[in-house]
Amino acid sequence: MQQDKTRLWTKEFIILTLCNFLLFLQLHMIISTLPAYVQGEFHASSFQVSLFTTLFALSAIAARLYSAKQLEKGNRNRMIYVGILITLLVTLGYYFAAAMGVLLVLRMIFGVGFGMSSTAFPTMASDVIPVKRMGEGMGYFGLSTSLAMSIGPVLGIGILNSSGFNMLTWATALVILIIAPLSYTLTSKSPKPKAPVETPFTEKQKAGFNKALVVPSVLNGLLAFCYGGIVSFIALFGIENGINNAALFFLFNALAILVVRPIAGRIYDSKGHAALVIPGSIFVMVGLVLLSNVSTTSGLFVSAFLFGIGYGALQPSFQTWMIQVVSPEQRGLANGMFLNTLDFGIALGSLLLGLIASFSDYNIMYRYSALFILLLLVIYLIHMRMAKKAKLKASHSA
């Protein structure tokens, strides 16, 4: 019995991780190719291109706020099935979109469907992961998101360049179709949330917004802000600097994440987020500064690997941190906040860093991007110092 309580790689966990990977793979196959497609097809301006990311993110955020409440009520099946249906129909709708305005509306509707299903899967995962292995489990689960974010652009750009946008539409629709039968095996018998074991939660923590989510949410948003500059402009950066196949940045980023994620999860469980956030931030900053100075493919690969090590340590740390500071009833809220700050950060990063690049160049843009990671580190150190003082004060008063 004890073995079952600490077993991580259950059937449910494996299927949830695979579903999450496919969902984010489909997203990033499209999101990385839309800028090139709308510029070539509709002669869109840089501002119009940024709207495709921004409007999608805003609609996904709104959908997750609704989804978090529904998940607290146990309506997981509805969130998954409705979300998958919307994403599938909208993806097929791309094939018939003959005007940029129609494509923008479809992206907004897609955000609603994606927001529903992307909140349900990690919430269900946090319910089937053993409490004592939460850092390791969410590290592996989060690996599916990071790998999809890294592999998706490579596949999407490859299909777009070789076969065109219509073929990309059918390919991404097929990815969504695969999720449907997999998710049925989960929703036919949804796991029940575990009772809290290590931390007693007050009634105030079990209902409404939890202020303990603020700091990790801000940190996750800053990390996503920098990633927005990568996913939106790395191809244009390669063109500007004469680097062929700049999209391979994502492949080497994925390799680094694949190496670091299992290790980072175990470190989190034994030593907490402090052992990961500080070195992870340094790796991301070094990766971005190096990227801003590279002019060769080998330099691009090294910067991608360093960035991936830091990103692979930071992102699951923030997600696990957010899950652990809320009650089991609020895990939908925590996962929604994690994904919302991820989407909002990418959208805002794409917009503001693109503005910086328009007044300078992409090399300078990535140097500015590194400053936001420095800000992340400063906020974290201040938070840890304040938490330490509060703990000492509480121990003295006791």
Side-chain angles (χ1 to χ4, degrees):
M1 181 66 71
Q2 185 64 27
Q3 185 179 4
D4 291 337
K5 289 182 178 179
T6 59
R7 186 182 170 203
L8 176 60
W9 293 102
T10 59
K11 176 184 176 182
E12 291 82 2
F13 179 70
I14 293 171
I15 294 175
L16 282 164
T17 303
L18 180 57
C19 286
N20 191 69
F21 170 76
L22 292 171
L23 185 67
F24 276 86
L25 179 71
Q26 195 267 359
L27 171 69
H28 285 276
M29 286 175 70
I30 288 288
I31 201 172
S32 60
T33 53
L34 270 177
Y37 173 70
V38 296
Q39 277 189 339
E41 187 73 15
F42 304 111
H43 308 290
S45 66
S46 298
F47 174 75
Q48 288 172 324
V49 168
S50 69
L51 287 177
F52 282 89
T53 302
T54 304
L55 293 177
F56 159 77
L58 292 176
S59 61
I61 289 170
R64 289 200 188 102
L65 295 175
Y66 168 76
S67 299
K69 293 295 183 182
Q70 293 300 312
L71 289 169
E72 285 182 21
K73 298 176 182 178
N75 296 328
R76 297 177 179 181
N77 294 13
R78 183 190 306 170
M79 294 300 98
I80 290 177
Y81 287 134
V82 174
I84 289 174
L85 181 61
I86 292 174
T87 54
L88 176 60
L89 292 177
V90 171
T91 301
L92 292 173
Y94 292 151
Y95 183 84
F96 303 98
M100 192 171 67
V102 175
L103 203 56
L104 274 171
V105 172
L106 288 175
R107 285 301 290 167
M108 291 180 67
I109 300 173
F110 181 91
V112 173
F114 181 81
M116 289 180 176
S117 49
S118 64
T119 309
F121 288 137
T123 303
M124 293 174 71
S126 62
D127 287 338
V128 301
I129 295 171
V131 173
K132 292 184 178 180
R133 300 182 69 180
M134 187 64 73
E136 181 184 2
M138 291 310 298
Y140 280 117
F141 183 83
L143 179 60
S144 66
T145 301
S146 297
L147 286 179
M149 292 170 70
S150 299
I151 297 171
V154 177
L155 291 177
I157 292 171
I159 295 173
L160 180 67
N161 291 339
S162 62
S163 305
F165 189 76
N166 288 341
M167 180 57 70
L168 179 63
T169 296
W170 293 113
T172 51
L174 178 61
V175 173
I176 292 294
L177 278 173
I178 297 172
I179 299 176
L182 288 172
S183 50
Y184 176 76
T185 64
L186 299 167
T187 57
S188 59
K189 186 181 179 181
S190 298
K192 295 180 179 179
K194 292 180 177 63
V197 293
E198 74 266 82
T199 306
F201 294 92
T202 66
E203 291 301 317
K204 188 176 181 180
Q205 287 174 305
K206 292 180 180 180
F209 179 73
N210 194 325
K211 65 179 182 180
L213 293 171
V214 172
V215 172
S217 295
V218 170
L219 301 181
N220 187 55
L222 287 169
L223 178 63
F225 183 95
C226 295
Y227 190 80
I230 298 290
V231 74
S232 299
F233 304 115
I234 195 67
L236 298 175
F237 167 82
I239 294 171
E240 185 176 84
N241 288 274
I243 302 173
N244 295 324
N245 300 318
L248 288 177
F249 179 98
F250 297 105
L251 180 60
F252 280 81
N253 181 65
L255 290 174
I257 290 170
L258 187 62
V259 170
V260 77
R261 270 292 171 88
I263 302 169
R266 294 189 185 96
I267 292 174
Y268 187 101
D269 287 332
S270 60
K271 299 182 182 299
H273 47 70
L276 293 167
V277 174
I278 296 172
S281 300
I282 293 172
F283 269 104
V284 171
M285 277 192 290
V286 172
L288 287 169
V289 172
L290 179 59
L291 176 64
S292 72
N293 290 281
V294 302
S295 57
T296 63
T297 303
S298 59
L300 181 81
F301 293 164
V302 173
S303 66
F305 198 81
L306 292 173
F307 183 91
I309 290 174
Y311 193 88
L314 289 174
Q315 193 184 58
S317 297
F318 297 147
Q319 186 172 21
T320 308
W321 182 1
M322 293 169 77
I323 289 170
Q324 288 184 327
V325 296
V326 301
S327 66
E329 293 84 358
Q330 281 198 319
R331 285 175 181 167
L333 171 65
N335 282 306
M337 283 289 291
F338 171 79
L339 293 166
N340 281 343
T341 51
L342 175 65
D343 281 341
F344 185 74
I346 289 176
L348 191 61
S350 175
L351 199 64
L352 295 185
L353 291 175
L355 188 63
I356 291 173
S358 67
F359 287 104
S360 53
D361 57 40
Y362 292 109
N363 298 71
I364 292 175
M365 182 199 76
Y366 284 126
R367 288 169 203 161
Y368 275 104
S369 183
L371 293 177
F372 286 92
I373 299 299
L374 178 61
L375 176 61
L376 182 160
L377 184 57
V378 169
I379 292 173
Y380 180 76
L381 291 174
I382 292 172
H383 167 75
M384 293 300 290
R385 184 177 178 84
M386 291 175 64
K388 185 176 180 180
K389 285 184 177 180
K391 190 175 181 179
L392 286 172
K393 185 177 180 181
S395 64
H396 288 320
S397 61

